Every structure is written in C-alpha cells, then in structure tokens.
Amino acid sequence: DAGITQSPRHKVTETGTPVTLRCHQTENHRYMYWYRQDPGHGLRLIHYSYGVKDTDKGEVSDGYSVSRSKTEDFLLTLESATSSQTSVYFCAITGTSGGRTGELFFGEGSRLTVL
Amino acid sequence: ELKVEQNPLFLSMQEGKNYTIYCNYSTTSDRLYWYRQDPGKSLESLFVLLSNGAVKQEGRLMASLDTKARLSTLHITAAVHDLSATYFCAVDLSGTYKYIFGTGTRLKVLA
C-alpha cells in the first residue's frame, strides 16, 4: 500500500472558521492531489501539485487554497469554511518515474462537516 | 474543459449476468484509469489503460479503451455479489497528470 495519510480523519467545525487538512506521503511521489467527494458529483479535483511550491487549480478551487513546502506534505486550507464545503476530502498521489503508470493512490479520506 | 461521463449512474443486476459500464470523455487523452470504491472506503486502482486498443482483464472485469471514440468500457462477466461497489473512470487531461473523474457507477449485484 502507498504510504499516504490524511489528518484529521473527521472534523466538525462552524461556518466562518479556518480549516486545514493535511496529506502526508512517504513515497516521494511528485504529484499530489486534493479531491472532494459529494453524492451525485463523483470526485472533483480541487487543487493539485506537481512539485514543491508548484500547484495548480482544479475544477472546484474557489474557497480553497493549498501549499506544498516539502515533497511529503500537501495542505488544503479553507480560509473561512461554509456549509457547502461539507464533504469527504481525499488526497491522492502519483509518481512518474521508474516506469510508473500514473495511477493514483488515495488516502483514507477526511470527513468535514461545517455547521 | 475536459468532461467525463459515465453511464449508467446506477446499476442493479442479478448474479450471473453480464453488463457493461461506459465512460465517455470530451477531449483527447491516451490515459484512462478505472477505480473501485466500497461504501465508506477509499478508492483503489483497478485498471490502467495507456493506449488506444488497450484491454486489461482481472477476474470477472475487463476494461478497454478506444481513444478515437473517446470511450472506455468496463465489462462485467457473470456478476457476483462481491463486485457490488461504485466504479469510477478517470482521464488524464492530455498527459498533464491532471485527472478528471466521472461521476461513478454504483453497482449492486443481487443474489
């Protein structure tokens, strides 16, 4: 199994508060991703990173920011959480070297509830 | 903008039957992936399809890719209850490692 952990796994917060989710990998993979999963929408890409300090927006980036100061950590921040950001958030990683095929490896997910 | 559509969204089938899930995408891509998700769990990789005409098989599941038609199929042969899950396809946007997912197909196999 890919070494990827998300924290916290569950969080309940109130509207307007800041929230940071952390994704940590031990695989030294170049690419890291944040997705959100909601019923009827599948997985939607929020942001992704293609290297340290290199990030790009996904399909649903409004209201989210990310940072990657080192290879192993990718942080997702909700500056001021809203109820529409209640979701399950998945981190994923992939590598491109050594014959890797680009398949994603997922963390266990972080369930966020914004009241 | 890359759009990925799966159909059907829900599929209820009897054990022993065959069925196909379809994944259509809107822009050029040679890389398509299938994932499985059990309820309340994370996603796991099923198939990696990296070229036109690629076909992969694992047990009762077979996936194929037609890049000209921008279509991938996931065929289920003689379904069993253990295959009940949600299946997602994902497409790499023109080789950028930016992956867009379909909405998923929730499969329920009835005993």
Side-chain angles (χ1 to χ4, degrees):
Chain A
D1 290 343
I4 175 169
T5 56
Q6 294 183 225
S7 60
R9 294 288 314 280
H10 302 272
K11 185 172 182 66
V12 179
T13 191
E14 293 187 350
T15 298
T17 60
V19 176
T20 295
L21 305 180
R22 180 181 183 237
C23 178
H24 178 77
Q25 62 146 331
T26 58
E27 303 296 318
N28 199 36
H29 281 343
R30 176 182 176 186
Y31 293 87
M32 299 185 74
Y33 306 79
W34 278 107
Y35 288 89
R36 61 177 290 175
Q37 184 173 28
D38 305 287
H41 291 280
L43 272 80
R44 291 181 290 175
L45 180 63
I46 305 171
H47 283 280
Y48 71 109
S49 170
Y50 47 95
V52 174
K53 292 186 170 51
D54 292 323
T55 65
D56 200 357
K57 295 179 180 180
E59 305 165 274
V60 289
S61 58
D62 288 349
Y64 302 94
S65 62
V66 290
S67 66
R68 191 171 180 196
S69 59
K70 46 187 178 178
T71 299
E72 56 266 36
D73 289 325
F74 192 32
L75 303 180
L76 177 70
T77 297
L78 292 66
E79 300 289 349
S80 178
T82 68
S83 58
S84 64
Q85 294 176 311
T86 292
S87 187
V88 179
Y89 292 85
F90 284 99
C91 175
I93 63 175
T94 193
T96 58
S97 62
R100 295 190 179 93
T101 55
E103 65 189 304
L104 294 175
F105 299 97
F106 285 84
E108 294 302 305
S110 295
R111 182 175 295 275
L112 175 66
T113 302
V114 184
L115 302 175
Chain B
E1 180 185 350
L2 173 61
K3 292 191 184 298
V4 182
E5 295 183 346
Q6 284 182 240
N7 66 84
L9 298 183
F10 298 98
L11 177 55
S12 180
M13 56 192 296
Q14 296 289 331
E15 276 194 330
K17 298 294 186 182
N18 304 333
Y19 210 84
T20 300
I21 299 171
Y22 298 88
C23 174
N24 291 90
Y25 53 98
S26 61
T27 64
T28 302
S29 178
D30 291 332
R31 300 158 67 92
L32 190 137
Y33 305 79
W34 285 95
Y35 296 88
R36 169 181 170 145
Q37 184 181 37
D38 293 311
K41 303 294 186 182
S42 186
L43 286 81
E44 61 181 57
S45 177
L46 284 176
F47 297 110
V48 177
L49 304 169
L50 299 179
S51 62
N52 185 42
V55 177
K56 295 283 183 70
Q57 182 162 7
E58 179 74 30
R60 301 175 187 273
L61 300 177
M62 183 175 70
S64 65
L65 177 61
D66 181 345
T67 58
K68 292 182 173 58
R70 298 177 184 172
L71 171 68
S72 179
T73 61
L74 180 65
H75 187 72
I76 304 156
T77 301
V80 293
H81 179 71
D82 285 351
L83 290 179
S84 297
T86 299
Y87 294 86
F88 291 94
C89 63
V91 178
D92 176 5
L93 180 60
S94 302
T96 61
Y97 292 93
K98 183 176 181 179
Y99 299 93
I100 304 299
F101 279 73
T103 50
T105 296
R106 185 177 173 187
L107 171 65
K108 185 173 183 179
V109 180
L110 304 173

